[in-house]
Amino acid sequence: MDESVTQHLILRYIYGETGPAEDLKVRGILSSNSEMMSYYKDAMEIKAQLNDAMEEPHPTSVSIICEHSHNSHTEAV
Amino acid sequence: MQKDIIADGVLLKVYLEGNENALETLIKRHKSRIFTSILLLVNDRYLAEDIFQETFIKVINSLKSGKYKHEDKFLPWALRIARNLSIDCIRHRGRIPMISDNDGQNIFDYIKVVQDSCERGMIEKEENISLRKLVHSLPEEQKEVLILRHYADLSFKEIAEITNTNINTCIGRMHYALLNLRRMIKKNPVVIK
């Protein structure tokens, strides 16, 4: 299989977009191809770092939205 | 034991029947993904807060005026609104002249950083800011796919639809985004833990 096709398949696997047959295929590739295993590990490492960088809005923003909703509901009633 | 999660569609229905708590549950469920996506697109916390609010106000107005089509999933729909508002904002900001220091840094960035910490008491982790900078420095098309796939949790198929491309192009952009991030992180080992 072409290298980039394999890497794309691994990316879909990492993001849970592969079916059972493709999952088996990827596991087979990872256990037999050290370059692809290295690609997989690198991608997983960056994925973990991106997860750590998740941010939350300030609570005031949520309050403003809820207030808008409440007011528009009251107006409608 | 797994906790039962009420589906977004059910929450929307309950909300439209007048239960305001359902909206709060929806916001709490999706706020991190939506806010992080906006923040990474506009790279400015103040603007991101404004766009986040504007996104949900549009969501509420569309829901209450009956414009929301139930066949759309809530998160992709809300993210589409957030993305469009972010892009409009970036375009508008592009027309506003920047005042830069000797290093080319917008001086208002410094002011915003100071205000942010003083007024809001929010302390961002240094490594988060650095990673955010690296993501922001990716080519636009790669950055967009990375944000929509990783933070917005859209499938490559959904991203292809939103960005008017095909799935293989989206996966290819994601591949290069991760390679570029990996390369930049290696260059900045002190910055990123």
Side-chain angles (χ1 to χ4, degrees):
Chain A
M1 195 191 278
D2 180 67
E3 187 182 84
S4 67
V5 174
T6 309
Q7 287 169 334
H8 289 192
L9 178 64
I10 291 171
L11 270 186
R12 286 177 45 237
Y13 174 76
I14 286 171
Y15 280 96
E17 291 195 26
T18 44
E22 286 176 316
D23 288 350
L24 275 177
K25 195 175 180 179
V26 171
R27 283 179 206 137
I29 291 167
L30 294 179
S31 61
S32 62
N33 186 329
S34 60
E35 269 183 42
M36 287 302 144
M37 179 51 109
S38 168
Y39 176 81
Y40 170 78
K41 283 183 176 172
D42 285 351
M44 288 300 283
E45 196 182 319
I46 293 171
K47 197 179 173 217
Q49 286 179 334
L50 289 169
N51 280 340
D52 289 342
M54 196 87 93
E55 303 272 350
E56 296 238 326
H58 194 271
T60 307
S61 287
V62 177
S63 303
I64 289 168
I65 294 162
C66 291
E67 199 177 325
H68 171 81
S69 171
H70 181 75
N71 290 343
S72 62
H73 180 72
T74 311
E75 278 168 22
V77 171
Chain B
M1 202 172 87
Q2 203 181 344
K3 218 176 162 182
D4 286 340
I5 296 171
I6 304 168
D8 288 352
V10 176
L11 286 170
L12 288 172
K13 192 171 174 286
V14 173
Y15 171 63
L16 287 172
E17 285 166 0
N19 186 335
E20 293 287 322
N21 292 335
L23 178 75
E24 212 171 325
T25 307
L26 265 177
I27 296 172
K28 277 182 186 163
R29 183 178 291 173
H30 298 300
K31 65 179 180 181
S32 298
R33 290 197 175 282
I34 295 175
F35 183 74
T36 307
S37 303
I38 296 168
L39 182 58
L40 286 167
L41 281 170
V42 300
N43 200 27
D44 181 312
R45 183 169 278 277
Y46 270 137
L47 270 178
E49 296 282 357
D50 286 347
I51 295 170
F52 178 79
Q53 290 169 27
E54 208 179 323
T55 298
F56 270 96
I57 284 168
K58 276 203 163 193
V59 162
I60 291 163
N61 293 344
S62 296
L63 285 171
K64 294 202 167 175
S65 63
K67 283 180 191 166
Y68 174 67
K69 293 184 184 78
H70 294 276
E71 61 267 23
D72 289 339
K73 286 183 200 162
F74 175 74
L75 184 60
W77 174 60
L79 279 159
R80 202 170 290 141
I81 294 172
R83 173 183 175 266
N84 290 342
L85 288 172
S86 301
I87 289 170
D88 283 351
C89 180
I90 292 164
R91 283 188 186 135
H92 176 73
R93 193 170 50 175
R95 291 197 292 268
I96 298 170
M98 275 195 352
I99 302 170
S100 306
D101 67 5
N102 292 338
D103 297 325
Q105 177 84 24
N106 182 355
I107 61 162
F108 290 112
D109 286 349
Y110 299 127
I111 298 166
K112 279 175 191 158
V113 168
V114 173
Q115 284 176 337
D116 206 34
S117 57
C118 292
E119 291 172 11
R120 302 178 185 215
M122 292 168 73
I123 303 164
E124 290 184 301
K125 289 179 195 166
E126 199 173 307
E127 62 267 29
N128 280 4
I129 297 169
S130 303
L131 187 60
R132 221 166 68 205
K133 276 184 183 169
L134 295 187
V135 171
H136 199 73
S137 68
L138 288 171
E140 284 302 320
E141 290 167 339
Q142 293 174 24
K143 183 174 69 178
E144 184 169 55
V145 174
L146 182 123
I147 292 168
L148 293 175
R149 178 57 270 206
H150 190 85
Y151 292 106
D153 204 23
L154 299 184
S155 68
F156 287 118
K157 186 172 176 278
E158 287 168 325
I159 299 168
E161 283 166 9
I162 287 177
T163 57
N164 290 320
T165 50
N166 62 55
I167 295 181
N168 285 334
T169 303
C170 287
I171 302 173
R173 285 174 182 169
M174 184 72 178
H175 165 76
Y176 283 110
L178 294 180
L179 283 187
N180 281 331
L181 268 184
R182 177 80 185 156
R183 183 179 48 79
M184 289 189 279
I185 289 170
K186 273 187 177 170
K187 269 188 184 174
N188 301 279
V190 184
V191 177
I192 305 291
K193 273 185 185 174

